[in-house]
């Protein structure tokens, strides 16, 4: 949809050289000259799509637990089955059909020998094969090519009829399932193919069947339609390849036909292009197929002429409507790889690219219908002979056609009608088409699975799916490939659009992005919603960070509260201990005073004890400090007394009673060996000459009123 014009000054000699250089770069002569090979190794490694195809077959059979591997494919150990269908390896070497995949999903009741016999009755040996099945109802969606009924339309094949009949599985207790044979071609085209041995089935030969024609035009009509659409968009777009805006033509009004000064005078309205009519026809046919399978539990066999263009469009679009899995990004990849790549849509021929055997049939050239502009015709369009004859020969030899683009356009129409049903967005579809046309990846090269394997595509070229997945990984769920409105629970089943809803419009994100850039942005609401979503994600991350910090602060506060509680308990215990010590001290003081002592406490905590000789006499005091024990365990006394020599007592001979130790240190009648010379009645009754002494308060603190010294 993009037109680039190179302008040269008059009599410039480099025009031919520039054109030849552009032609060499844009139309490589061989497959190996494509960028996917010439660009060197890609960091987006391509895993073998055969493994993914087998995994998809297993999912359809209800055996999702099975994971295929290259080893299993090489050993042929992938022929799994359930009660109705099986995976067959009859085409593992591509000997039966070179355009079919190596593994086929077939009815379990049909043997491989019967399958080979049935393939001979179909064009290019593309026999009926199951592409989607419903495990709950037993309904299937199958595809094939046209039957070879001959010019008289009377040829039959028992093997083919039995294979088609086996598509209608019989459920116990129910009547036989109905079979619809959907021919994508117009009826007249199907009859015309009879001259070349092809044609269509007869409902009389296939039990309980009905033949339906969808009237979808061939590849040449689609190519011409896209060319007219491109001319129309270029003519009436904001920017045009001739440098004139559509608003300046004919006084600012160019709608409604008339002679135009543009490069395409034959396209005056969008309806003249026919593109939207073709899109609507494909959508209507796919919706009809999906309705028959979902509502009637019927089986449908779809084919066209070769079974790789219109058939691929119909069966893949119907599968998209029937199965919610295909409406996810991963499921959409599986759908494209199964119904388009594995079943042999000729991408190289349709895109005008070279194949393994050599050049492509014809470059993908969307010729203009009636160019009246000032640009000269390209050298490819110039030559001897009449222009009409050359155009006719070109049309006959040109097999390029935007079939896959048209199918993606149909998907975009469904995405517009059901915005909650698809995980991917329109931007994902645009990037998919751009990657397909860029020749940067090997997924869409060649015409079949066999050719891609022969060319070593999987090992030599990068993988488109890995590249797109890498783009989404960078931004997560906020990436443009994700549909912001996707709700898997809202459409958790088949989508059956009514006929009135199938009114397609121009796909702005793809068709208008070069001619009408502002309109191509299209979804202002979607863009604003994506911006809000991104902002919401940032706020969500900030919220999570704040919650983390809050949790850390809460843990810190709890730790501090625990420490404070412990400190409070310790303080309470200390206060209780002080109260108990005060009570004990008061008790000891009263007990000591009852013995005739006067106890005085100094400010530094020491205790002075005085002993009264006679209450009427002035007491003579002798101050003696209680012994202390140093670090080495030596007992020493510090004395201040009138006695001429200090009194010391050995530690081992001192009684454990602290009051006895005090008495022994004060009394001069106490011997060194610890024996008292006075009677045992008690020293305090004899009014010792010692008047006063100084004792360590700690000794008194350890005293108790229950010591045996006081007795009963």
């Amino acid at each position: 949809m993009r037109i680039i014009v190179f302008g040269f000054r008059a009599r410039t000699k480099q025009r031919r050289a520039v054109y030849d250089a552009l032609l060499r770069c844009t139309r490589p002569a061989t497959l190996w000259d494509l960028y996917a090979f010439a660009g060197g190794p890609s960091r987006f490694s391509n895993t073998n799509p055969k493994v993914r195809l087998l995994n998809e077959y297993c999912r359809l059979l209800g055996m999702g637990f099975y994971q295929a591997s290259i080893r299993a494919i090489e050993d042929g150990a992938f022929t799994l089955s359930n009660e109705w269908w099986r995976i067959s390896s009859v085409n593992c070497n591509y000997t039966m059909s070179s355009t079919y995949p190596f593994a086929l999903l077939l009815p379990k009741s049909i043997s491989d020998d019967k399958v080979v016999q049935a393939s001979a009755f179909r064009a290019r040996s593309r026999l009926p094969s199951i592409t989607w099945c419903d495990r709950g109802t037993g309904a299937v969606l199958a595809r094939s090519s046209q039957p070879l009924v001959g010019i008289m339309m009377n040829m039959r094949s028992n093997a083919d009829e039995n294979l088609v009949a086996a598509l209608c599985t019989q459920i116990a207790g129910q009547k036989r399932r109905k079979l619809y044979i959907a021919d994508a071609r117009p009826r007249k085209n199907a009859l015309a193919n009879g001259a070349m041995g092809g044609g269509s089935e007869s409902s009389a030969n296939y039990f309980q069947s009905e033949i339906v024609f969808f009237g979808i035009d061939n590849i040449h009509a689609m190519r011409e339609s896209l060319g007219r659409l491109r001319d129309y968009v270029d003519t009436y777009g904001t920017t045009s390849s001739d440098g004139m805006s559509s608003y300046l033509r004919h006084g600012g009004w160019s709608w409604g036909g008339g002679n135009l000064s543009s490069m395409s005078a034959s396209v005056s309205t969008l309806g003249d292009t026919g593109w939207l009519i073709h899109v609507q026809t494909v959508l209507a046919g796919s919706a009809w197929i999906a309705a028959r399978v979902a509502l009637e539990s019927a089986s449908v066999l779809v084919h066209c002429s070769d079974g790789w263009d219109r058939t691929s469009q119909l069966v893949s679009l119907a599968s998209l409507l029937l199965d919610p899995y295909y409406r996810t990004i991963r499921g959409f990849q599986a759908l494209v790889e199964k119904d388009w790549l594995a079943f042999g849509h000729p991408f190289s021929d349709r895109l005008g690219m070279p194949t393994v055997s050599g050049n492509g049939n014809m470059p993908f050239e969307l010729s203009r219908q009636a160019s009246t502009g000032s640009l000269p015709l390209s050298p490819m369009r110039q030559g001897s002979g009449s222009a009409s004859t050359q155009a006719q020969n070109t049309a006959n030899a040109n097999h390029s056609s935007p079939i896959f683009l048209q199918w993606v356009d149909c998907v975009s129409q469904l995405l517009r009608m059901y915005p909650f049903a698809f995980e991917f967005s329109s931007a994902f579809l645009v990037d998919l088409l751009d990657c397909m046309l860029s020749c940067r990846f090997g997924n869409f090269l060649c015409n079949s699975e066999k050719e891609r394997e022969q060319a070593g595509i999987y090992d030599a070229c990068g993988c488109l799916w890995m590249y797109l997945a890498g783009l989404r990984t960078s931004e997560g769920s906020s990436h443009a490939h994700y549909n912001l409105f996707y709700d898997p629970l809202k459409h958790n089943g088949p989508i059956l659009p009514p006929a009135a809803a199938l009114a397609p419009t121009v796909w702005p994100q793809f068709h208008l992005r070069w001619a009408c850039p502002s309109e191509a942005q299209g979804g202002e609401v979607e863009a604003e919603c994506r911006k809000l979503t991104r902002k919401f994600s940032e706020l969500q991350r900030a919220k999570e960070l704040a919650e983390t910090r809050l949790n850390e602060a809460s843990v810190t506060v709890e730790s501090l509260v625990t420490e404070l509680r412990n400190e409070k308990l310790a303080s309470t215990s200390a206060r209780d201990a002080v109260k108990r010590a005060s009570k004990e001290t008061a008790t000891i003081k009263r007990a000591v005073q009852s013995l005739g002592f006067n106890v005085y406490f100094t400010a530094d905590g020491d205790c002075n004890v005085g002993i009264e000789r006679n209450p009427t006499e002035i007491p003579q005091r002798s101050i003696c400090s209680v012994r202390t024990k140093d670090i080495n365990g030596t007992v020493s006394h510090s004395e201040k007394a009138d006695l001429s020599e200090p009194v010391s007592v050995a530690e081992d001979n001192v009684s454990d009673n602290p009051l006895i130790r005090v008495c022994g240190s004060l009394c001069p009648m106490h011997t060194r060996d610890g024996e008292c010379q006075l009677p045992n009645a008690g020293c305090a009754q004899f009014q010792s000459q010692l008047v006063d002494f100084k004792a360590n308060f700690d000794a008194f603190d350890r005293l108790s009123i229950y010591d045996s010294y006081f007795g009963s």
Side-chain angles (χ1 to χ4, degrees):
M1 300 303 295
R2 189 180 191 183
I3 301 175
I4 301 176
V5 178
F6 293 85
F8 297 89
R9 294 181 180 179
R11 296 183 299 277
T12 301
K13 298 181 180 180
Q14 287 81 11
R15 284 182 293 180
R16 169 65 65 173
V18 171
Y19 175 78
D20 292 339
L22 289 173
L23 193 61
R24 284 194 306 271
C25 294
T26 57
R27 312 288 188 212
T30 65
L31 178 67
W32 323 113
D33 294 330
L34 293 176
Y35 182 80
F37 290 95
S42 174
R43 63 189 180 93
F44 304 103
S45 59
N46 190 358
T47 57
N48 198 317
K50 290 184 176 181
V51 176
R52 297 193 292 268
L53 178 63
L54 284 180
N55 290 334
E56 176 59 18
Y57 280 166
C58 292
R59 188 191 71 87
L60 292 174
L61 293 178
M63 307 173 66
F65 57 88
Y66 176 81
Q67 293 296 323
S69 63
I70 298 296
R71 179 78 176 272
I73 295 175
E74 294 175 350
D75 297 341
F78 55 84
T79 55
L80 306 176
S81 64
N82 62 8
E83 56 179 331
W84 287 329
W85 312 295
R86 66 185 178 93
I87 302 175
S88 174
S89 61
V90 66
N91 197 42
C92 60
N93 296 323
Y94 307 104
T95 55
M96 185 186 69
S97 176
S98 61
T99 59
Y100 256 22
F102 77 103
L104 297 174
L105 196 60
L106 300 172
K108 189 177 181 179
S109 59
I110 304 298
S111 64
D112 287 345
D113 294 336
K114 297 295 183 181
V115 169
V116 174
Q117 295 178 16
S119 66
F121 187 68
R122 295 285 169 169
R124 302 182 187 273
S125 299
R126 297 174 64 89
L127 75 160
S129 177
I130 298 173
T131 184
W132 186 84
C133 51
D134 189 344
R135 298 189 303 273
T137 63
V140 301
L141 183 59
R143 59 181 298 169
S144 69
S145 61
Q146 63 180 344
L148 302 179
V149 295
I151 192 171
M152 300 300 296
M153 306 288 288
N154 58 356
M155 300 293 294
R156 296 181 61 177
S157 170
N158 290 331
D160 182 78
E161 293 174 8
N162 292 334
L163 176 58
V164 173
L167 299 176
C168 299
T169 55
Q170 185 69 27
I171 301 178
Q174 298 183 11
K175 63 179 182 179
R176 183 177 177 85
R177 190 186 312 276
K178 188 172 183 178
L179 171 68
Y180 290 95
I181 300 178
D183 195 327
R185 303 166 294 180
R187 184 186 296 269
K188 61 178 181 179
N189 291 20
L191 296 177
N193 273 272
M196 297 179 290
S200 185
E201 296 86 351
S202 173
S203 58
N205 298 333
Y206 295 88
F207 180 74
Q208 202 168 351
S209 64
E210 180 179 344
I211 313 297
V212 181
F213 293 92
F214 287 155
I216 303 175
D217 288 327
N218 57 22
I219 60 174
H220 308 293
M222 301 305 174
R223 179 180 63 252
E224 295 170 359
S225 177
L226 182 63
R228 290 192 295 268
L229 176 64
R230 188 185 69 173
D231 294 338
Y232 171 81
V233 171
D234 180 65
T235 301
Y236 297 105
T238 305
T239 60
S240 179
S241 58
D242 63 358
M244 181 179 294
S245 173
S246 62
Y247 298 107
L248 301 179
R249 295 194 176 102
H250 299 282
W253 183 257
S254 58
W255 306 100
N259 294 326
L260 304 178
S261 60
S262 66
M263 301 170 63
S264 178
S266 63
V267 181
S268 58
T269 63
L270 182 60
D272 292 340
T273 66
W275 180 258
L276 298 183
I277 298 298
H278 295 315
V279 171
Q280 185 181 30
T281 305
V282 176
L283 283 171
S286 303
W288 186 91
I289 294 173
R292 301 286 77 75
V293 175
L295 301 180
E296 301 179 16
S297 298
S299 294
V300 181
L301 172 63
V302 184
H303 70 76
C304 53
S305 296
D306 294 318
W308 54 36
D309 289 313
R310 289 164 284 192
T311 301
S312 297
Q313 288 180 326
L314 291 172
V315 296
S316 57
L317 208 57
S319 300
L320 193 73
L321 293 172
L322 289 169
D323 198 335
Y325 172 71
Y326 292 138
R327 299 194 286 268
T328 64
I329 292 180
R330 186 174 181 179
F332 190 79
Q333 172 187 344
L335 179 66
V336 172
E337 289 191 312
K338 174 174 62 72
D339 284 327
W340 289 90
L341 294 170
F343 276 91
H345 175 70
F347 279 96
S348 289
D349 291 346
R350 298 298 177 258
L351 300 178
M353 293 187 295
T355 61
V356 176
S357 59
N359 295 336
N361 292 285
M362 194 69 185
F364 192 2
E365 187 72 22
L366 299 179
S367 59
R368 298 183 177 278
Q369 301 302 312
S371 299
T372 58
S374 59
L375 292 181
L377 291 175
S378 66
M380 291 190 62
R381 301 181 188 176
Q382 296 175 349
S384 59
S386 63
S388 59
T389 303
Q390 182 182 5
Q392 184 178 359
N393 294 335
T394 300
N396 292 333
N398 192 355
H399 293 283
S400 60
S401 185
I403 299 300
F404 185 74
L405 165 62
Q406 188 179 58
W407 178 76
V408 177
D409 196 342
C410 293
V411 176
S412 72
Q413 304 295 334
L414 294 176
L415 178 59
R416 176 182 56 84
M417 288 187 285
Y418 300 96
F420 299 98
F422 295 85
E423 183 186 17
F424 50 85
S425 65
S426 182
F428 170 77
L429 300 177
V430 173
D431 287 347
L432 174 64
L433 289 175
D434 286 346
C435 291
M436 180 194 69
L437 297 171
S438 67
C439 296
R440 180 182 177 185
F441 307 98
N443 302 77
F444 294 93
L445 300 183
C446 302
N447 288 325
S448 65
E449 182 181 275
K450 178 182 178 181
E451 290 186 3
R452 281 186 288 273
E453 186 171 334
Q454 291 177 346
I457 298 293
Y458 310 136
D459 299 326
C461 303
C463 180
L464 175 148
W465 310 111
M466 297 294 292
Y467 168 72
L468 295 178
L471 294 180
R472 295 190 296 271
T473 304
S474 60
E475 298 183 20
S477 60
S478 62
H479 192 270
H481 286 180
Y482 289 101
N483 180 16
L484 297 176
F485 307 106
Y486 175 58
D487 185 3
L489 300 179
K490 191 168 185 177
H491 296 284
N492 191 20
I495 294 177
L496 304 176
L502 300 176
T505 61
V506 173
W507 184 14
Q509 286 82 359
F510 186 82
H511 296 308
L512 302 181
R513 57 174 169 166
W514 306 116
C516 305
S518 58
E519 285 73 11
Q521 303 302 326
E524 293 183 358
V525 176
E526 182 178 353
E528 192 66 25
C529 185
R530 195 173 301 279
K531 187 186 302 182
L532 293 176
T533 303
R534 192 176 295 108
K535 187 175 181 180
F536 175 76
S537 300
E538 295 175 357
L539 294 176
Q540 191 74 15
R541 288 193 295 268
K543 176 188 174 184
E544 293 175 357
L545 181 60
E547 289 178 349
T548 302
R549 293 179 177 176
L550 179 61
N551 293 334
E552 294 176 355
S554 300
V555 172
T556 304
V557 170
E558 290 179 0
S559 177
L560 293 176
V561 168
T562 303
E563 293 180 2
L564 183 61
R565 188 181 295 110
N566 294 336
E567 291 290 340
K568 186 176 181 180
L569 292 175
S571 176
T572 303
S573 300
R575 189 162 51 249
D576 294 342
V578 169
K579 290 181 179 179
R580 289 195 301 270
S582 299
K583 292 180 180 179
E584 292 179 358
T585 302
T587 304
I588 294 173
K589 181 178 179 181
R590 288 194 299 270
V592 171
Q593 287 177 351
S594 66
L595 298 176
F597 292 87
N598 290 327
V599 182
Y600 304 96
F601 292 94
T602 61
D604 56 357
D606 293 336
C607 176
N608 294 330
V609 180
I611 302 177
E612 297 181 357
R613 177 180 300 274
N614 192 337
T616 60
E617 296 179 355
I618 298 175
Q620 296 180 358
R621 296 183 178 182
S622 173
I623 303 215
C624 176
S625 81
V626 180
R627 61 176 185 164
T628 59
K629 181 162 57 173
D630 58 11
I631 298 176
N632 297 326
T634 305
V635 180
S636 61
H637 293 267
S638 174
E639 301 181 10
K640 291 181 182 179
D642 295 337
L643 301 176
S644 59
E645 54 183 46
V647 179
S648 62
V649 181
E651 181 181 9
D652 296 337
N653 298 328
V654 179
S655 172
D656 292 336
N657 195 321
L659 203 57
I660 298 298
R661 293 201 302 269
V662 173
C663 180
S665 62
L666 295 178
C667 182
M669 302 300 294
H670 202 82
T671 61
R672 292 183 177 273
D673 54 2
E675 296 180 359
C676 184
Q677 298 179 2
L678 296 178
N680 295 331
C683 300
Q685 297 178 0
F686 288 86
Q687 297 182 358
S688 173
Q689 295 296 323
L690 300 176
V691 179
D692 196 12
F693 71 93
K694 182 177 182 181
N696 192 321
F697 179 75
D698 292 337
F700 285 94
D701 192 33
R702 290 193 296 268
L703 295 179
S704 174
I705 61 175
Y706 301 106
D707 288 339
S708 61
Y709 178 82
F710 298 98
S712 58

